[in-house]
Amino acid sequence: MQQWQEVKEQDFGHCKPKGTYKIELENGQKYLFEIIADTLKRANREYDVVIPWYIMTSKENNTDTIDFLKEKNYFGYPKEYIYIFAQEELPIINEQGKVLIGKDGFIKEAPNGNGGIFNSMQKKGVITDMEKRGIEWVFIGSVDNILIKYIDVLLLGLTVSNKNQIGTRTVLKRNPQEKVGVFCKKNGRVKVIEYTELPKDIAGITYDNGELVFGESHIMCNLFNINAIKTSSTNKLEYHIALKKAEYINEKGELIKPNIPNAYKFEQFIFDSFKLFDNISILRGKREEDFAPIKNKDGEDSPQTAKKLYENYWKKKSFMI
């Protein structure tokens, strides 16, 4: 069973649902949604099953996502095994604490973060659907990591053998400045500190061997038992503040498109659910095998770097086979 979040990322330069982004590969172009469908179809053939595919969208891109997948005939994936649902939203406020008005004349809102997935799954009937299908384990990941293992049998085996309800795969942080959350323990329980909340002087602390003390990265490769999802859906996770660019209508009725961040949005993070459990299983993976995100237009974590990691991985895998 596989479940993941689909997001819209204006800073990336692709102003449509991220799964509709097309990446250039040696063997042709592929959409991010198409890569996921191919991954699931391979697993279906290997294990003689049909894995349900749940897609969380924002309200803003929900229709675009549905229309795109219909147009592409779901990339050959059985429609009856695809469940699309939109996450909840929260109002955006400006730096003076006032709500912003969108161009539609209503209070401007934004998706409530990937941690809102649990509440959305409960409200939109996803948990009920999973229970009807007899699903016990759910993998939750991001659409933008084209090396993600949606069917992570090693992580599943580790989590089950440890008798935990949650498992997660990590990679070592590239450097202290990399924009990823990092693992630690607080009050005896696993916690992730978001990169925006980790002080720079602490982020750079190393062990004697040079490895970062806060270097175990959360890369959105999470495995949840269905009971853990139900528990998380009935508990309130804290909100984190993010300063973002948000266009709005001013008092004169003019549409303002800011060039710099001007508004605060409130987000819940999926990893804040970890503290609800005594322990979770953590499996350290390898960046070249597990983490090829597309987050930036150029430079690190761009389509160019993801393409190289993806193709090198499959060349190596083909050689080994």
Side-chain angles (χ1 to χ4, degrees), residues 137 153-169 185 190 223 225 277-284:
W137 292 94
V153 292
L154 184 58
L155 180 60
L156 175 61
L158 175 67
T159 307
V160 171
S161 65
N162 287 342
K163 297 181 178 174
N164 287 325
Q165 293 189 63
I166 298 176
T168 187
R169 186 180 280 265
K185 271 202 167 185
V190 173
L223 181 71
N225 184 274
F277 303 88
D278 291 333
N279 207 352
I280 72 172
S281 296
I282 299 177
L283 175 64
R284 179 187 289 181

Side-chain angles (χ1 to χ4, degrees), residues 253-266:
E254 302 167 327
L255 179 63
I256 306 300
K257 296 183 178 182
N259 295 319
I260 60 174
N262 65 311
Y264 292 106
K265 64 178 291 189
F266 302 92

Side-chain angles (χ1 to χ4, degrees), residues 50-166:
V50 180
I51 299 165
W53 180 9
Y54 296 84
I55 302 172
M56 186 171 81
T57 67
S58 69
K59 290 181 181 179
E60 189 176 7
N61 66 30
N62 187 67
T63 299
D64 287 343
T65 300
I66 293 171
D67 290 346
F68 175 82
L69 288 172
K70 282 182 179 178
E71 178 189 335
K72 300 301 180 184
N73 195 28
Y74 305 95
F75 296 104
Y77 211 78
K79 179 183 176 183
E80 62 272 23
Y81 284 87
I82 298 176
Y83 194 119
I84 301 172
F85 64 104
Q87 72 183 113
E88 301 295 302
E89 296 189 333
L90 288 170
I92 296 174
I93 62 173
N94 64 18
E95 294 176 284
Q96 289 72 47
K98 296 181 179 181
V99 296
L100 295 179
I101 302 300
K103 58 185 177 182
D104 57 3
F106 292 96
I107 292 174
K108 194 170 182 66
E109 295 184 321
N112 62 350
N114 56 45
I117 192 169
F118 304 112
N119 187 255
S120 295
M121 290 172 74
Q122 192 276 327
K123 285 186 176 181
K124 302 302 172 64
V126 176
I127 295 175
T128 300
D129 184 78
M130 289 177 173
E131 291 183 314
K132 285 181 180 178
R133 295 178 188 267
I135 292 169
E136 294 183 35
W137 292 94
V138 181
F139 186 89
I140 302 178
S142 306
V143 67
D144 59 11
N145 177 9
I146 60 175
L147 276 183
I148 196 169
K149 293 178 172 63
Y150 297 102
I151 315 304
D152 197 336
V153 292
L154 184 58
L155 180 60
L156 175 61
L158 175 67
T159 307
V160 171
S161 65
N162 287 342
K163 297 181 178 174
N164 287 325
Q165 293 189 63
I166 298 176

Side-chain angles (χ1 to χ4, degrees), residues 12 18 21 23 32 144-146 292-296 301-303 306:
F12 169 67
K18 210 166 188 182
Y21 180 75
I23 186 169
L32 299 192
D144 59 11
N145 177 9
I146 60 175
I294 301 175
K295 296 183 180 296
N296 305 311
D301 299 335
S302 65

Side-chain angles (χ1 to χ4, degrees), residues 191-217:
K191 177 179 174 61
V192 174
I193 307 173
E194 180 65 340
Y195 69 91
T196 56
E197 299 171 357
L198 184 66
K200 291 182 180 179
D201 56 337
I202 294 178
I205 297 174
T206 62
Y207 293 109
D208 291 341
N209 64 0
E211 189 173 295
L212 290 170
V213 172
F214 294 96
E216 209 72 50
S217 303

